[in-house]
Amino acid sequence: MADDGFERAFYGIASHRGSWERCTVKGNVVRSRPRYLAEHAPSAIASIRDRVGAEARRYLDGEVLLTERVPYPPLVEIDREIALVAMQGEVARMRRFAHEIASHDLDGGLYRGLLSMLGGGMSLRLWAVVYQSFFAPGRVTARSEGGTTIVTLSQVMPRYMCTYGFTGYMERLLEIARSPSDVVHRCVHDHGLSQCEWHIHPRAERR
């Protein structure tokens, strides 16, 4: 059973819940969850399946088409159980999880070539395209301030997703673009902001 600390780390501020509960997500995001469990925590699959509701079980059973748009809350339900059961309650491990998903999505074929050509700053525009193809609603913008790129997202998401999920995905995207960077997240759940921000600081090349 999860304690209050876990729930706060996973969901964030309760009053934001009504915003993300209206979101939808594309099937290829859903399908990444059973793939991750099969590769990293096969012994947890039966337990997680027993702990989630009927719609989330449908997601886990691969009954969602890659191109289908489905409600987001059952995916959050699955992710909560992944964090509790497969990750032993360590919500921060979702960052590595997202890093691996980005590798699967981007590290090959057209995306890899495009990212290598674009480089770091321009690649973050591709992140906007990726977000808007996977999630709805929400708008991603990016601006430069000195040597830092600041990415914002208009849609409030659960804390685990914005703090660890999107951050890990952006980190891997920038690595594939040959622009490894430190991605620092400023969260609506923690900083009293109207929308999340990610401050992207390119790492200095080592000589």
Side-chain angles (χ1 to χ4, degrees), residues 121-142:
M122 291 295 291
S123 293
L124 290 168
R125 297 189 182 184
L126 181 60
W127 162 242
V129 174
V130 169
Y131 172 85
Q132 288 163 343
S133 67
F134 288 171
F135 295 88
R139 181 169 177 265
V140 174
T141 61

Side-chain angles (χ1 to χ4, degrees), residues 79-145:
D79 285 348
R80 180 182 181 276
E81 298 307 324
I82 288 175
L84 267 176
V85 178
M87 298 177 178
Q88 294 79 51
E90 298 175 20
V91 181
R93 289 172 63 181
M94 281 286 179
R95 190 166 184 158
R96 183 64 192 174
F97 173 36
H99 195 277
E100 292 183 20
I101 292 172
S103 289
H104 182 274
D105 291 347
L106 306 173
D107 196 7
L110 176 64
Y111 275 128
R112 185 175 186 87
L114 182 60
L115 287 166
S116 296
M117 286 172 42
L118 290 174
M122 291 295 291
S123 293
L124 290 168
R125 297 189 182 184
L126 181 60
W127 162 242
V129 174
V130 169
Y131 172 85
Q132 288 163 343
S133 67
F134 288 171
F135 295 88
R139 181 169 177 265
V140 174
T141 61
R143 69 182 189 274
S144 294
E145 292 187 4

Side-chain angles (χ1 to χ4, degrees), residues 56-76:
R57 284 196 296 273
R58 189 174 80 86
Y59 290 12
L60 284 172
D61 291 344
E63 296 178 14
V64 176
L65 299 175
L66 289 173
T67 56
E68 187 179 356
R69 282 214 173 261
V70 295
Y72 179 51
L75 183 72
V76 176

Side-chain angles (χ1 to χ4, degrees), residues 137-156:
R139 181 169 177 265
V140 174
T141 61
R143 69 182 189 274
S144 294
E145 292 187 4
T148 299
T149 301
I150 299 175
V151 176
T152 61
L153 172 62
S154 63
Q155 174 61 46
V156 175

